[in-house]
Amino acid sequence: MLDADKNKLIFDLLQAALFQKNITLPNNIDWNQILQEMKIQTVAGLPYEWLCSRTVLDAKIKMYWNQIVVFQVSFWVKLMHEQELLIQLMRKNNINMVILKGAAAAIYYPKPEVRSMGDIDFFVNPKDFQNACKIMIENGYRSVHEKQTSPHHIAFKKNKVTFEVHKSLSIIARNHVGNHQEYLQTLMENGLVLAEQKKIEHWEFPTFPRLQNGLVLLLHITQHLKTGLGLRQILDWSMFVNQELDDEIWKTEFQPILQKIGLETMAI
């Protein structure tokens, strides 16, 4: 299968699974090749249920694909449990926080549990940053590196899960957004004050409001343009747009800010 044909098929499968588009599958598909590429792009779980409903996978590839999805969903449940414990800890200590990406992106997917998850990122006000880190250490969260010099976050591990506590978004802290670092930081801190509670099944968690949550997903794409962009980052923004944006919200809420920071064209 040529790369162009493989890529088109992957896009078609994602359209069918996420947006209920009618597609026609070509003949003689190398499903192992498709699966391997979707694994690399961390989107393998998304079309699995749709493929099973079409009975197009042979027994061997279906079993392999199923193992990947089962592992992914199991890890998702573990992350959501650990996230809940973290939220309770921060709440107990009166530290306002919001989840970044992860569950805050998964809420826009028809089946959140098949959106691949890696770690738990959360944002706190810079004035609470040192206290949040201290509380985590006191409660068994282990610093990933003895000497972390990042200006925007510190990573911890507990129960084989990585947690990153942020006082700024990476792309903002590294000043990759022109002269708009202070503007965007203030926007995020204001969003923290207006945090909203979201829910997936029985798990509740705080997220940024629509504007800031969407900007986080878009800025995440911008960040990965230099480090390696995958389909998951693009899909997170696409699913957000599908659920949250219409012409009016775009024109009044998003477009002026994206024009100001120079990301309007990329967003479109």
Side-chain angles (χ1 to χ4, degrees):
M1 182 178 289
L2 298 174
D3 281 348
D5 295 331
K6 178 183 69 176
N7 292 341
K8 182 181 185 305
L9 177 56
I10 288 172
F11 297 147
D12 285 349
L13 290 171
L14 291 171
Q15 280 193 319
L18 296 172
F19 302 106
Q20 296 77 52
K21 299 288 186 181
N22 291 321
I23 66 169
T24 301
L25 295 175
N27 296 320
N28 303 317
I29 298 171
D30 184 341
W31 285 111
N32 185 61
Q33 189 182 46
I34 297 298
L35 174 56
Q36 294 307 321
E37 182 61 34
M38 296 191 91
K39 277 180 62 182
I40 292 170
Q41 300 290 337
T42 62
V43 296
L46 299 177
Y48 177 70
E49 186 173 305
W50 185 91
L51 287 167
C52 289
S53 71
R54 297 324 191 259
T55 63
V56 295
L57 304 177
D58 64 42
K60 184 177 180 180
I61 194 71
K62 183 179 180 181
M63 182 176 70
Y64 181 32
W65 211 317
N66 180 69
Q67 289 173 345
I68 292 169
V69 174
V70 168
F71 176 81
Q72 181 176 309
V73 172
S74 298
F75 187 63
W76 184 85
V77 171
K78 179 179 177 65
L79 280 180
M80 294 300 286
H81 174 68
E82 292 294 335
Q83 178 176 284
E84 176 64 23
L85 296 178
L86 173 75
I87 292 167
Q88 291 175 4
L89 179 64
M90 292 296 125
R91 188 177 294 145
K92 178 182 175 183
N93 288 277
N94 299 312
I95 294 179
N96 291 332
M97 60 166 285
V98 290
I99 298 298
L100 301 174
K101 303 170 293 184
I107 56 175
Y108 304 117
Y109 286 73
K111 291 185 176 296
E113 68 275 12
V114 294
R115 188 264 186 195
S116 177
M117 304 271 270
D119 52 20
I120 296 172
D121 294 79
F122 66 104
F123 180 90
V124 300
N125 191 289
K127 67 180 177 61
D128 292 326
F129 182 73
Q130 292 299 329
N131 193 31
C133 293
K134 178 175 176 287
I135 289 164
M136 292 179 77
I137 292 169
E138 290 172 348
N139 285 271
Y141 294 82
R142 176 178 54 83
S143 179
V144 174
H145 302 294
E146 289 185 7
K147 294 182 179 180
Q148 298 190 75
T149 58
S150 168
H152 54 84
H153 79 271
I154 292 181
F156 295 90
K157 290 201 87 164
K158 187 177 183 181
N159 297 331
K160 299 181 179 180
V161 172
T162 300
F163 302 79
E164 290 188 358
V165 51
H166 293 251
K167 61 181 177 180
S168 177
L169 303 185
S170 305
I171 193 165
I172 296 175
R174 290 170 181 162
N175 204 22
H176 290 165
V177 283
N179 299 316
H180 308 294
Q181 187 176 16
E182 185 176 342
Y183 170 74
L184 284 170
Q185 179 67 21
T186 301
L187 198 62
M188 295 303 159
E189 291 177 23
N190 290 343
L192 183 63
V193 177
L194 302 171
E196 299 177 355
Q197 286 293 120
K198 300 294 184 181
K199 189 173 184 180
I200 297 176
E201 296 180 6
H202 63 279
W203 287 291
E204 292 190 17
F205 48 92
T207 72
F208 276 134
R210 175 176 59 207
L211 173 62
Q212 285 86 348
N213 207 27
L215 287 174
V216 167
L217 300 178
L218 188 62
L219 289 168
H220 194 214
I221 293 175
T222 306
Q223 178 186 343
H224 277 271
L225 289 175
K226 293 188 176 182
T227 60
L229 181 62
L231 274 180
R232 187 179 65 176
Q233 290 87 31
I234 297 172
L235 281 177
D236 282 351
W237 170 248
S238 299
M239 300 309 296
F240 170 82
V241 170
N242 183 60
Q243 290 287 330
E244 294 283 9
L245 297 194
D246 57 24
D247 287 346
E248 183 63 23
I249 293 170
W250 167 258
K251 290 176 182 177
T252 59
E253 197 170 310
F254 278 82
Q255 194 174 33
I257 291 175
L258 295 177
Q259 287 175 344
K260 178 181 176 69
I261 65 176
L263 291 181
E264 181 188 16
T265 298
M266 193 190 76
I268 292 170

